Amino acid sequence: MRVASLTDFLLQRIDRNCGKPMNRQLYQVVREAILDRVMPVGLQLPSSRDLARELDIARNTVTYAYEQLMAEGYLETRKGAGTFIADTVPDQIPDAADGGTLRPRKTGSIGLSERGAELVRHAGAYRFQWGAFMPGVPDVSAFPNKVWSRLQNKHWRRSRPEMLTYGHGGGYLPLREAIAEYLRVARSVNCTAEQVIVTSGIHQSIDLASRLLADVGDRAWVEDPCYWGTRNVLTSLNLKPVPIAVDAEGISPGNADLRHPPRFIYVSPSHQYPLGQVMSLSRRRMLLEYAEKHNVWIVEDDYDSEFRYASRPLASLQGMDTHDRVLYLGSFSKTLFPGLRVGFIVVPPTLADAFATGLSDLYRCGQLFVQAVLADFMGEGHFASHIRRMRVLYAERQQLLREAIRRNFGDALPISGDDAGLHMALVLPDGCDDAALCREAQEHGIIARPLSGYYMKPERAKRGLILGYACVPSELIGPSFDRLAALIRPRLPRL
Amino acid sequence: MRVASLTDFLLQRIDRNCGKPMNRQLYQVVREAILDRVMPVGLQLPSSRDLARELDIARNTVTYAYEQLMAEGYLETRKGAGTFIADTVPDQIPDAADGGTLRPRKTGSIGLSERGAELVRHAGAYRFQWGAFMPGVPDVSAFPNKVWSRLQNKHWRRSRPEMLTYGHGGGYLPLREAIAEYLRVARSVNCTAEQVIVTSGIHQSIDLASRLLADVGDRAWVEDPCYWGTRNVLTSLNLKPVPIAVDAEGISPGNADLRHPPRFIYVSPSHQYPLGQVMSLSRRRMLLEYAEKHNVWIVEDDYDSEFRYASRPLASLQGMDTHDRVLYLGSFSKTLFPGLRVGFIVVPPTLADAFATGLSDLYRCGQLFVQAVLADFMGEGHFASHIRRMRVLYAERQQLLREAIRRNFGDALPISGDDAGLHMALVLPDGCDDAALCREAQEHGIIARPLSGYYMKPERAKRGLILGYACVPSELIGPSFDRLAALIRPRLPRL
């Protein structure tokens, strides 16, 4: 390539009207030509003065581009001789042994891992996170923003550097103390602050527990149906979730299951997700005795039991455990707001140090400011009073939803899980295609999730709709359900 | 157990002076006795009136405890006959097949998994996160708190429910746009907002990329030495980090390495962590060509290149990649403050959907408020001006540290990596026990991390100290280093 043809080359590739600075364009065109080996090593470039004249641009522009290219190693100057393309061509790359170039996995062409492709295929998170009848979302519009803002400002005003750097250990101690105190009183959880590990929510809690307690290929019992997130986190860590049937008393392992103890058992005893039943006392005792006998861990997901309408809240499974086999998971997503991303694990004392270390090392924590604000929010009593207010509100909304169901269907469609929580399951007859129904509802602007989608074993799957009522304004519950009912009705067998 | 002995039993276990409410104590003692099978199934309890008299407590107290026990299923009433211990004894638990009770793993007695025990053993996160010479921590006391608070309040005032619920997809779009714009200009990264995935920092970015791109047992090249966090995240996901030597030009795979392409290559080309050299252009070209030839992903960790003192910042490796093999990782931990927990991955367009889905599904995102505040902070120019201010400040502090080193040791101890970033490496002679030195320094209130600890291959490990200067007040740098020097000196061979 001679200087004349170099100039032509550049002129063809530079666009004076594209709005991009000329020095940037020049830099990029030359750089690309070098990387593509269009401009060979050792080629001498014209002086900045000559090139500026040839291209009819300011000399500074050329100088700037040359300097950047020089700084990055594309060009070099030889004393008295001028500017040259530097030798940055890498050595010949050897072929792979055993022809071992990595081929895309059998997961499609974009090159995901097998676990990655599996995760994307079974993705459960929903694009819509607000509206009738989004399950699992509280009424965030009732959150006391002003109080929160005030506490937030207080902490930012007296900002200490320690609060802005990485966290270390199990979280901000005053928050851990506030959580321990709350759990002792409200959930009969047996714990000290040191056992409380502050996470970014249930997902991180499952993730941490799975990595620290289970190895690749280990089995973990999950309820069937269960929360999609649990399954996805376990699978993406290469654990094997074993689906165990649930009955009216909760998880119900058969003798064949019991003969093969898993590494841990993941259960939602206070309000089975998504069906909503409470685990019976004898089932609880069975699980605890089994866990002790076989060195199995129990992971108790207590995601929304603060909102219990029909009776006093039951004590946690953790509180009944006298052999330190239970890890208790909770979250502020349902009691305050999901976007807060604060949850916690209460671990047995023997695991407290390992979990605190694992947390800092795996996730490099922080958000101490948020944790401090939350600690104050609890300490000043706003947490307890917010829960009280919301319990009244959600009870009313649940009542409205139950009335709307009765008005439309009488007793023909059973309701499951309305003792507690933010959602209920409306059970549909076996033949009903609940997934298609939910897609249709979505086209009408109504969110409902199909019960069958929560099952791992298709032959076990009941049909139904998971309906959240907590985040739906009271006056919209009846009308929204009426619209949904109009879509349900044609899909029912003649009653 | 007869009623009389039951009363004795309760009297022995109830403590009127312990401050715990009597109804709670009664509930707990009876519950425990049932769970421990001290009170047998079918045992009749005295009426609340009788028991209250026997224990000399209020009848209401007994009634409350009975009701709670009844609600939880421990007691039952039989019509007209009274209150009895309910049958909640679980069925006989079958033995495990093949005597398969899970034994604690060979990881000590507390029952961690092998990967969990490995993680705890190699934990790298440091208890102290602030002070001379903490590496990797910016001067958070210079952060413009007031501006941040103002933006925060603005968003909380006009709070929309969507901002408080779960996030979905790759993050808050205006923030992704602001990041893309910034990266295009400042780092020559080639991207649109859709390619930007907002994470909670480098750790989550590595975690997500590892799960989506690599399976159990896959190999990933890492620089040796490298950041401890990378290694720990990879290992806890059962990838095999393969340590590749670095030389003055950056990562330097030998022919034996090159013949076995890994699943991905993890590099810090702008400022090798922790040694600090910049990857040469020919090494960059070699990596890119190799990645294209063998379908290997490159993960570029660009953790602190905003702070470059000696020359203009180099373009990112991502910007040179014409075959979509590079994932670019960045973070606001060094530019703003670590506790913010916001980072990002820029992925090739083909991976954008999968990464957005994986993010929501694995971690259930949120913190949209924080993302909105950050988007405004960038949009209003505070981000750029904060970086400019900090660059001047850190350059000054680096200069002070270099002077203190020269004052104490002349040119006897080489300094590595002082072109950019928040830390430098002070290289010590081979025989020097840098780990012991750092422990000693810590006893004197000085933080330094041993260079040898960052190596995976011990025979390769250089000795030295990783010294952060960004978060140390200028006036403390000289005196703090003098104290450190007094500890270094006796460990040096006679010069």
Side-chain angles (χ1 to χ4, degrees), chain A residues 214-360:
Chain A
D215 284 304
V216 168
D218 278 347
R219 286 167 311 111
W221 286 0
V222 296
E223 295 160 323
D224 196 26
C226 82
Y227 174 49
W228 55 266
T230 306
R231 233 155 62 193
N232 286 350
V233 173
L234 298 182
T235 310
S236 79
L237 291 170
N238 300 89
L239 303 197
K240 291 213 176 80
V242 179
I244 305 290
V246 296
D247 60 18
E249 295 188 63
I251 194 169
S252 173
N255 279 341
D257 301 314
L258 291 167
R259 271 197 293 274
H260 299 281
R263 188 69 185 159
F264 63 80
I265 301 174
Y266 192 93
V267 283
S268 46
S270 306
H271 190 226
Q272 202 278 331
Y273 194 85
L275 288 172
Q277 65 270 49
V278 177
M279 190 184 293
S280 74
L281 192 52
S282 77
R283 209 53 71 71
R284 288 169 190 242
R285 294 183 66 175
M286 187 276 284
L287 277 189
L288 291 171
E289 290 185 14
Y290 183 75
E292 198 239 326
K293 183 167 176 186
H294 294 297
N295 270 318
V296 171
W297 298 107
I298 296 177
V299 180
E300 174 180 20
D301 181 353
D302 199 25
Y303 62 101
D304 72 357
S305 62
E306 287 82 3
F307 302 110
R308 176 156 290 278
Y309 314 115
S311 57
R312 250 175 285 180
L314 291 196
S316 62
L317 193 57
Q318 197 270 5
M320 294 172 59
D321 172 26
T322 48
H323 295 96
D324 285 347
R325 302 309 301 172
V326 177
L327 290 84
Y328 174 93
L329 271 49
S331 159
F332 292 96
S333 294
K334 315 297 181 204
T335 47
L336 299 179
F337 59 96
L340 181 61
R341 307 319 298 135
V342 180
F344 47 86
I345 326 182
V346 179
V347 299
T350 47
L351 294 178
D353 282 347
F355 271 67
T357 302
L359 185 82
S360 331

Side-chain angles (χ1 to χ4, degrees), chain A residues 170-183:
Chain A
Y172 184 63
L173 193 58
L175 177 61
R176 297 164 77 191
E177 282 163 354
I179 292 172
E181 173 66 20
Y182 164 71
L183 292 177

Side-chain angles (χ1 to χ4, degrees), chain B residues 6 47 50 88 155 165 192 203 208 213 225 243 307 315 329 349 418 456:
Chain B
L6 173 70
S47 71
D50 289 350
T88 59
H155 282 280
T165 58
T192 62
H203 275 235
L208 181 59
L213 300 179
F307 302 110
L329 271 50
D418 56 348
M456 288 180 70

Side-chain angles (χ1 to χ4, degrees), chain A residues 24 102 188 207 211 236 361, chain B residues 24 188 207 211 232 236 262:
Chain A
R24 205 71 206 145
L102 297 174
S188 300
D207 195 77
R211 293 199 209 197
S236 79
D361 246 66
Chain B
R24 207 65 208 148
S188 300
D207 194 78
R211 293 200 210 197
N232 285 351
S236 80

Side-chain angles (χ1 to χ4, degrees), chain A residues 5-171:
Chain A
S5 68
L6 173 69
T7 312
D8 286 347
F9 178 85
L10 296 174
L11 280 170
Q12 279 161 24
R13 281 162 181 79
I14 283 172
D15 180 355
R16 285 166 210 274
N17 304 317
C18 75
K20 224 172 169 180
M22 190 57 65
N23 58 35
R24 205 71 206 145
Q25 287 193 54
L26 188 57
Y27 157 82
Q28 280 173 344
V29 171
V30 174
R31 188 177 77 150
E32 207 163 292
I34 296 171
L35 290 173
D36 293 349
R37 306 190 183 183
V38 173
M39 290 190 182
V41 172
L43 178 79
Q44 180 169 14
L45 293 186
S47 71
S48 55
R49 184 195 312 255
D50 289 351
L51 188 60
R53 201 180 45 230
E54 299 264 0
L55 298 178
D56 192 21
I57 56 181
R59 186 176 166 193
N60 266 350
T61 306
V62 179
T63 314
Y64 184 94
Y66 275 19
E67 276 175 2
Q68 182 70 29
L69 289 162
M70 222 122 44
E72 298 192 358
Y74 293 92
L75 302 183
E76 59 186 7
T77 50
R78 297 185 200 147
K79 221 166 186 171
T83 304
F84 299 83
I85 309 285
D87 184 4
T88 60
V89 177
D91 298 336
Q92 185 65 34
I93 295 167
D95 282 331
D98 56 50
T101 291
L102 297 174
R103 252 162 279 286
R105 315 245 149 156
K106 43 179 184 211
T107 51
S109 57
I110 58 170
L112 295 184
S113 61
E114 284 173 27
R115 59 182 168 192
E118 169 100 3
L119 178 71
V120 170
R121 212 164 33 237
H122 290 117
Y126 208 56
R127 190 154 60 88
F128 306 99
Q129 297 292 338
W130 185 247
F133 293 97
M134 181 68 207
V137 174
D139 190 347
V140 298
S141 71
F143 182 73
N145 286 355
K146 277 193 191 154
V147 174
W148 190 264
S149 270
R150 175 174 62 74
L151 295 174
Q152 210 163 233
N153 286 332
K154 185 185 92 179
H155 282 281
W156 274 98
R157 264 197 308 276
R158 61 168 186 209
S159 149
R160 286 167 294 145
E162 291 82 2
M163 302 298 289
L164 290 175
T165 59
Y166 294 106
H168 189 262

Side-chain angles (χ1 to χ4, degrees), chain B residues 21-24 26 57-66:
Chain B
M22 190 57 66
N23 58 36
R24 207 65 208 148
L26 187 57
I57 57 180
R59 187 175 168 194
N60 265 349
T61 305
V62 179
T63 313
Y64 183 93
Y66 275 19

Side-chain angles (χ1 to χ4, degrees), chain B residues 395-410:
Chain B
E396 172 195 306
R397 291 180 177 176
Q398 198 205 58
Q399 176 64 22
L400 289 170
L401 180 54
R402 264 190 287 126
E403 282 168 16
I405 294 172
R406 292 291 160 254
R407 191 173 62 242
N408 279 280
F409 299 108

